[in-house]
Amino acid sequence: MNYRNRMEEIMSGKHRLSEEDRLKMDYKPDQIPPLPKGEEALRPSTKAGWETEAVIRAMISNLHNGRDWEKLYIYGGSGKVARDWKAFFETVDLLKTLEPNETLFLQSGVPYGKMQTTKWAPRCVITNSVIVPHWTPHFEEFVASGLSVYGQMTAGSFIFIGLQGIIQGTYETIVAAIKAAEKKTAYNGLDDFEKNLIVSAGLGLMSGAQPLAIKMCGKVGIIAEVNPHLIDRMYNTGRDQGAPYLDYKTESIEEAILIAKDAVEKGDAVSIGVLCNAVDLLHHLVEKSITPLVLTDQTSAHDLLNGYYPMGIGYDEADILRAESPEEYLERSKKTVVKHVSLMVELSKRGAETFDYGNNIRQQAYEMGIDDAFDYSGFVLEYVRPLFCEGKGPFRWMALSNDPEDIRKTDEYAKKLFFDDEQLVNWLELADKYIPFEGGLPARVFWAGFVGRAAFGMLMNKLVSEGILKAPVVIGRDHLDGGSVASPNRETEGMKDGSDAIGDYPVINLMGNALSGATWVSYHGGGGVGVGYSLHAGQVIVADGTRLSQERLFRVLTWDPMSAILRHATAGYAKAIDVGNEHKLVMPGRNNIKDFDYEELYNRIIKLVKERTGVDLFSPLQDLEISLK
Ligand code: NAD
């Protein structure tokens, strides 16, 4: 059989699952698996102890924070935690009995096998949505054939912490966008209302962070959303704690604008959800000559069939159309995305600081013939890359005790350790005020870099050992990080050396983390922007309070941000080269340093933690096998 025939055969649907198999996969439990609480949460229930217990609780936590637990959907359109419920429970069962020196392998949401490795090796190795590049256009066919699943970034790698993760990133991004907007000459042409207006669309799992982040920046936000249930959800979230994500909801664009104008006049920071298609909102702004200070979009445009909603048709109607005639749905979606991006380009020309927020919407419009779709930039290129050059990225942790008090304690220590990082301390205070803990394990996120991540991870481990924290914590990050992703329309857009599409880097990051002692590692395709457009890796490590854990934390949390600095130094970014030189990193081709002094860094961290928090870390283990020498 020649290659062309094989592709045609796969496309013919010959391998699709039968109706009977589908029904089997449709099995779901009566209720969402619970997370242990109180005393029960303070002990692991697995043979290998906290490491495997952490993986199980993190999977369940994803369900509690996610979009639709019954379907195992977590976020970002169809990003799933497991392929189906059978696979979910099989994974849990295998983890329960795994030995402390064994590793479980998961292939796109199903258990694949296990084998004896070492105590240092990850307990779980995960891959999701990885397709041989030329075949990626057929990804959906592979999903329909029961061969793959869309893992997004943190859905299939079990470190989704709900809206907080994205609120923090969105807050940082909008702060940067506002600063950029205020520097532009077009800024002077905006009136008072426009200078305070931020416009976007999408109130889903990640996009739902936008209204709160906008308020935290002191501005007024209008967000379009087609799904009335999600508008209600964001309207109710945080309301009983006096900090609603959405202050107002309306079905009228005119009314949304009146509310926004009134708030600007009063100097209030508010958020307004408007039930409409993004295209209708933007069209109205163009018609009425209203140019927002900042404009973006976070609809699930990366998936025009299952995530994005076409104009001219209501939400329920659209869902019916998708089920009955996916071809027509897709056609309508394509027309909508063309209009959508054209309007964004127009508002950008009129002076709105416009950026792509990682949903691949520009690419979709470009493929439909919109040549100037890439006239406005992606958010990483504009605002995040300078942070990546320092190794900074979305560091996060979850309390396995399932007790918010543990997170509050870690916040206190973080403020001590990072007292001189004004933006970080400010974020922690805003988070405490605005961000309710969600259904999953209590969690916290901030952007930390080289030295900072390792120091804080090792500090939390010691807090576990001293009983200041009730149970271990899991420490991970988004796959959107400086060294862990290749995504030419997002994280690696416009790299200085043209290396946007080079996929070696996330693999190097992954292997370094696996070898350094991460508890679970993951490698995915397609997160954020859709399969075929990105490759990325993740790591999560348990701080269980042991000395061995401190050694592993030191290595993983040093390597992970170091790989971001190396990635950007290799690409020629002066800032990354400077940061690398400052820390005396070995950067072949960029400096002549031949040896990195791990002991010096270890001792520097011990001193830093002691001076700033009063906590004594363990001294480095001198055992031959793991000594730093
Ligand atoms: P989601 O599917 O949960 O939410 C998207 C929302 O957009 C849905 O509520 C949907 O009803 C709404 N929507 C779709 N089309 C619309 C339209 N034309 N007009 C108005 N509303 C519309 O997805 P999510 O988790 O919120 O993620 C949104 C997008 O952002 C995805 O493409 C995702 O890959 C991307 N993403 C980016 C980042 C980042 O760091 N920038 C992080 C996560 C996700």
Side-chain angles (χ1 to χ4, degrees), residues 129-310:
S129 339
V130 183
I131 307 292
V132 171
H134 197 67
W135 296 69
T136 47
H138 309 304
F139 173 68
E140 288 303 337
E141 198 57 50
F142 294 128
V143 172
S145 304
L147 299 170
S148 191
V149 78
Y150 189 42
Q152 261 288 4
M153 288 196 158
T154 54
S157 62
F158 322 146
I159 189 73
F160 177 68
I161 58 167
L163 280 175
Q164 185 186 164
I166 188 84
I167 292 172
Q168 201 263 349
T170 309
Y171 164 77
E172 302 269 349
T173 303
I174 293 176
V175 168
I178 293 169
K179 282 187 192 156
E182 287 173 351
K183 280 193 205 138
K184 291 192 343 194
T185 41
Y187 180 72
N188 300 322
L190 303 182
D191 64 28
D192 245 21
F193 170 54
E194 292 170 317
K195 280 180 181 164
N196 284 288
L197 180 65
I198 297 186
V199 168
S200 188
L203 289 170
L205 252 294
M206 303 301 263
S207 45
Q210 298 181 103
L212 185 55
I214 293 169
K215 284 204 296 177
M216 284 169 140
C217 298
K219 298 289 180 193
V220 170
I222 301 183
I223 325 281
E225 166 61 61
V226 292
N227 182 340
H229 311 294
L230 289 178
I231 295 204
D232 285 345
R233 178 183 139 129
M234 299 327 294
Y235 182 77
N236 293 326
T237 305
R239 191 154 286 274
D240 52 350
Q241 289 157 46
Y245 279 47
L246 267 187
D247 295 291
Y248 299 94
K249 55 174 181 168
T250 169
E251 296 184 10
S252 147
I253 297 173
E254 281 88 356
E255 193 187 10
I257 288 174
L258 285 178
I259 299 170
K261 282 191 167 156
D262 186 48
V264 170
E265 268 166 32
K266 290 183 181 142
D268 293 341
V270 303
S271 54
I272 306 145
V274 54
L275 183 68
C276 68
N277 198 290
V279 167
D280 297 327
L281 174 61
L282 300 193
H283 185 70
H284 187 92
L285 296 179
V286 168
E287 288 278 289
K288 301 283 172 196
S289 296
I290 298 171
T291 302
L293 178 72
V294 172
L295 170 67
T296 188
D297 177 74
Q298 226 183 351
T299 57
S300 274
H302 71 274
D303 184 343
L304 293 181
L305 181 62
N306 300 304
Y308 191 69
Y309 280 81

